[in-house]
Amino acid sequence: MKLKITLLAVFYIILLNAQAPAGYYNAANGLSGYPLKTALHQIITNSHIPQAYSTHWSFFETADVKQDGTVWDIYANCGFIFGLPINGGNQDVGTGGNVECQFFNREHSFPTSWFGGNVEPMRSDVVHIYPADKLVNNERGNLAFANVNLVSFLSSNGSKKGSSATTGITGNVFEVADEYKGDIARSLFYMATRYQDMIAGWETNNPDGDKMLNGTSNQVFETWALQLLYSWHINDPVSQKEINRNNAIYAYQGNRNPFVDNPDYVCNIWNVSNCTLSVPEINFENAITVYPNPSNNQTISIESSIELDEIQLISINGQLLQVIQKENITANQLQINSIPSGFYLLKVKSNNQYLVKKIIIN
């Protein structure tokens, strides 16, 4: 059955910036390259007020909550409930977690073993700590991030472990789901900046960390890793979820992730190959339409001049429901079927630009 789509808004670029406090980045104005990185290091270090690791469970309830009140887990789609099991929640209590969607715990996207164990303030820095399914977190372990070739483990949201498909690294790696690749990249860019006075000495702490780190305080990452993280950063731009989380981090520990507030800082600092600043806006107002509107037989029409890569259908809570690749679009038209009524986002990728159309399906 085809469903009626009611248009709510025209397309807009989804390169969103969080609202940092006035003057927060003043000391970085006019700088570029590694001097910019050093200025950001000083800003986010001086404003960082470390919090106790034990309080992070409560922090998650503010920073990582979906609109339906469940846990925003970046490694799985489980609908976890905040709180201890004794109170009906799914918080890890140290046992179990041998199956997916049983418990969630605290995932250090930059593993503790990479910086030498339970060392503060890195261990408790919430910028790189996320709630995550316990089983999937254990599967990831200390693995380096890269794109996976042969999959040996696949989570419910598409995160996977397996042999590397990325040139420059061999062995098992971990690839987070597409909608969170940018989140992870920006967290690691934060770690490279916040701890640039220490990170050069972390290269040999762990074999998997050694694969990504190059033993310097400026570039920090191996060239292959830098290119990978930059591609993840560009292809998964800052989301409202990240903006909300960054603001919660500021309220909790006093500092911010500058790469969420100002995504161009990555290009300005590292100047990786194919580095581009904010993608220039293209007028999509008439390029993609939904018609008839309203109707029980709707069609999404795409202007033939648009070089479309894919369209993602995303729930209002951020769950990826469908991915329609360009090869599945016939005669520049697309029909969406068998989707329950509700609010949705159509996220369109074209030439490394992401645009979103809000829709209601009745």
Side-chain angles (χ1 to χ4, degrees):
M1 183 178 108
K2 298 184 178 67
L3 301 167
K4 180 175 67 178
I5 292 182
T6 302
L7 178 64
L8 285 183
V10 297
F11 280 83
Y12 58 90
I13 296 288
I14 195 170
L15 292 176
L16 303 173
N17 290 333
Q19 296 299 312
Y24 187 78
Y25 293 110
N26 277 359
N29 290 345
L31 299 177
S32 63
Y34 298 133
L36 170 59
K37 182 166 170 281
T38 297
L40 294 175
H41 162 73
Q42 293 169 346
I43 292 168
I44 62 180
T45 299
N46 292 340
S47 59
H48 186 183
I49 305 171
Q51 301 298 313
Y53 190 58
S54 61
T55 65
H56 290 5
W57 299 111
S58 297
F59 167 76
F60 289 157
E61 294 187 41
T62 299
D64 298 284
V65 58
K66 293 185 176 182
Q67 288 189 352
D68 62 2
T70 61
V71 179
W72 208 314
D73 171 6
I74 63 171
Y75 285 173
N77 287 327
C78 293
F80 286 129
I81 304 300
F82 290 104
L84 293 169
I86 194 172
N87 298 319
N90 299 104
Q91 179 180 314
D92 180 28
V93 292
T95 60
N98 298 319
V99 295
E100 195 172 342
C101 295
Q102 185 178 15
F103 295 117
F104 73 94
N105 57 13
R106 293 165 288 190
E107 159 68 329
H108 291 77
S109 58
F110 195 106
T112 57
S113 63
W114 291 14
F115 51 74
N118 294 333
V119 183
E120 300 295 352
M122 294 82 74
R123 175 177 178 255
S124 297
D125 192 334
V126 292
V127 175
H128 78 115
I129 303 173
Y130 298 88
D133 180 273
K134 185 175 182 178
L135 173 70
V136 185
N137 192 353
N138 288 338
E139 289 289 341
R140 190 262 165 133
N142 302 313
L143 292 176
F145 288 111
N147 295 323
V148 167
N149 180 19
L150 297 176
V151 178
S152 61
F153 173 83
L154 183 67
S155 81
S156 58
N157 81 340
S159 295
K160 49 197 171 185
K161 180 176 77 173
S163 61
S164 173
T166 301
T167 302
I169 179 173
T170 58
N172 277 340
V173 296
F174 191 82
E175 180 180 351
V176 71
D178 288 348
E179 60 264 42
Y180 302 119
K181 282 184 166 71
D183 305 53
I184 292 297
R186 287 179 281 276
S187 294
L188 266 61
F189 285 132
Y190 166 89
M191 295 295 287
T193 304
R194 167 64 180 86
Y195 301 103
Q196 74 167 23
D197 55 336
M198 310 178 197
I199 202 166
W202 297 350
E203 183 184 21
T204 59
N205 285 340
N206 177 271
D208 289 302
D210 191 7
K211 292 179 180 181
M212 292 197 81
L213 302 175
N214 76 343
T216 69
S217 62
N218 45 32
Q219 180 171 311
V220 176
F221 302 106
E222 297 287 353
T223 299
W224 73 263
L226 184 59
Q227 295 284 359
L228 173 88
L229 293 175
Y230 177 71
S231 69
W232 285 11
H233 167 64
I234 288 297
N235 290 323
D236 177 31
V238 173
S239 65
Q240 189 63 51
K241 170 193 180 294
E242 286 182 89
I243 292 173
N244 294 343
R245 191 174 206 272
N246 205 28
N247 292 332
I249 289 168
Y250 180 67
Y252 178 69
Q253 67 176 37
N255 70 346
R256 308 178 65 83
N257 186 341
F259 304 103
V260 172
D261 286 331
N262 297 285
D264 283 348
Y265 280 158
V266 176
C267 185
N268 284 331
I269 291 171
W270 281 279
N271 194 27
V272 290
S273 62
N274 301 318
C275 185
T276 57
L277 300 181
S278 293
V279 182
E281 185 173 352
I282 297 175
N283 182 12
F284 278 79
E285 183 174 357
N286 299 315
I288 301 179
T289 57
V290 179
Y291 70 92
N293 182 35
S295 170
N296 289 325
N297 294 288
Q298 88 301 328
T299 299
I300 298 173
S301 180
I302 303 152
E303 173 62 42
S304 60
S305 62
I306 300 301
E307 296 182 9
L308 182 70
D309 296 320
E310 68 178 24
I311 294 179
Q312 297 178 6
L313 180 67
I314 303 171
S315 73
I316 199 66
N317 291 324
Q319 182 180 2
L320 180 63
L321 301 176
Q322 288 186 13
V323 177
I324 302 98
Q325 303 291 345
K326 60 183 178 182
E327 55 266 26
N328 296 324
I329 299 173
T330 304
N332 296 313
Q333 292 189 344
L334 169 69
Q335 292 182 325
I336 296 178
N337 303 295
S338 303
I339 301 299
S341 300
F343 289 86
Y344 295 90
L345 301 175
L346 287 177
K347 183 177 180 182
V348 179
K349 179 182 178 184
S350 175
N351 290 328
N352 286 331
Q353 295 185 72
Y354 285 86
L355 304 108
V356 169
K357 176 170 279 187
K358 295 180 181 179
I359 61 172
I360 297 176
I361 296 182
N362 295 329

